[in-house]
Amino acid sequence: MTVRGTTRVVGVFGEPVRHSCSPAMHNAAFAALGLDFIYVPFEVPPEQLSTAVSAVGALGMPGVNVTIPHKGAVAGLVDELDESAAVLEAVNTICSRHGRLIGYNTDAEGFARSLEEAGESVQGADVAIIGAGGGARAVAWAVAGRGARSIVLVGRTPPKAEAVAALVNRATGSQIARAVPLASEGEESVRQSDVVIDTTSVGMHPHVDVPPVIPPNWISAHQLVVDIVYSPADTVLLRAARQRGARTVSGPGMLVHQGAIAFEMWTSQTAPVVTMRQALTEALATLGAEG
Ligand code: ATR
């Protein structure tokens, strides 16, 4: 691409950001649509975060993504929080609108769209979510919003799982979510669910052979099993689930769609998700080769 006087700059604030796949996804999308935008990774240490966020406005940037470890802190630095970021208490996308910086979280909607793209639905389903971090929060709120019948947070550390369940119940004004300890009630909860979603980082590159948190014999053929790990795309859990006859959805879709939603907010264009998915696959292959 050619950088001109008119080029709009977006990017990602994180530390580290060296291995982020977002520049590859977004720059491929800008090229595919012929948009005069560039996406740049910015390594921002925590003590510079406030200055960096102010710079989004000062430099006239349409917005930025925010990643580890800044998602929580940025929520206190923007002018306004969208409902998604307020509920999840984390911002992954900033948008500049009429001189104000608005914080969004596109992870939940990105997760929901990745299921829809795969032809799956959680409408009326009993859903088990493994893990209780930021990923679990986004996924739990997403499935609550897409009509799940019940949600059980299966956590190794019960107070964390209980906090996620309480957050979802508060946000939805319902009692849809509850928490159970993995050790004592994990097996029964997973066996009784229609959809099982692993939000832990177990199985992620480079520790691809670590056994999944859920033993495969807890899974049966009627279930949908989802892993939000995107590198590798096909985790030990997903392979084991397919061997037991279950349907599976892998993690790259969530990453592509959370990015696609940010892209659409910054550019007001429909994101070329097929191009983004292809760029992500290539970037992950390069990372795997490096790592
Ligand atoms: P993120 O914000 O990306 O979701 P996180 O905050 O590190 O990441 O959350 C990961 C979740 O996976 C945590 O709930 C973690 O368990 P704890 O709540 O006990 O910390 C869970 N997790 C990670 N490794 C696990 C394992 N081997 N068994 C069970 N849960 C695990």
Side-chain angles (χ1 to χ4, degrees), residues 9-11 56 60-65 94-96 266:
V9 180
V10 293
V56 174
M61 297 168 72
V64 287
N65 283 137
I94 299 176
C95 260
S96 180
W266 298 329

Side-chain angles (χ1 to χ4, degrees), residues 8-10 26-27 29-31 33-39 61-63 93-97 259-272 276:
R8 316 293 313 272
V9 180
V10 293
H26 285 274
N27 287 322
F30 297 145
L33 299 191
L35 296 177
D36 187 15
F37 276 68
I38 186 168
Y39 188 108
M61 297 168 72
T93 304
I94 299 176
C95 260
S96 180
R97 290 232 171 79
I261 299 163
F263 179 99
E264 290 174 355
M265 290 195 287
W266 298 329
T267 66
S268 305
Q269 306 278 323
T270 302
M276 294 175 81

Side-chain angles (χ1 to χ4, degrees), residues 68 71 130-137 154-158 160-161 182 198-202 210-213 228:
I68 290 168
K71 287 185 179 191
I130 319 303
R137 266 194 255 177
V154 180
R156 176 173 67 173
T157 312
K160 287 171 81 175
L182 172 65
D198 190 346
T199 69
T200 71
S201 53
V202 174
V210 174
V213 175
I228 71 167

Side-chain angles (χ1 to χ4, degrees), residues 46-68:
E47 64 276 15
Q48 295 292 346
L49 184 62
S50 160
T51 310
V53 170
S54 304
V56 174
L59 301 175
M61 297 168 72
V64 287
N65 283 137
V66 179
T67 188
I68 290 168

Side-chain angles (χ1 to χ4, degrees), residues 122 124-128 143 147-152 175-178 192-195:
V122 294
D126 294 322
V127 180
V143 299
R149 187 170 74 160
S150 73
I151 301 170
V152 57
Q175 289 298 313
I176 190 172
R178 68 196 168 90
Q192 288 177 351
S193 62
D194 305 305
V195 180

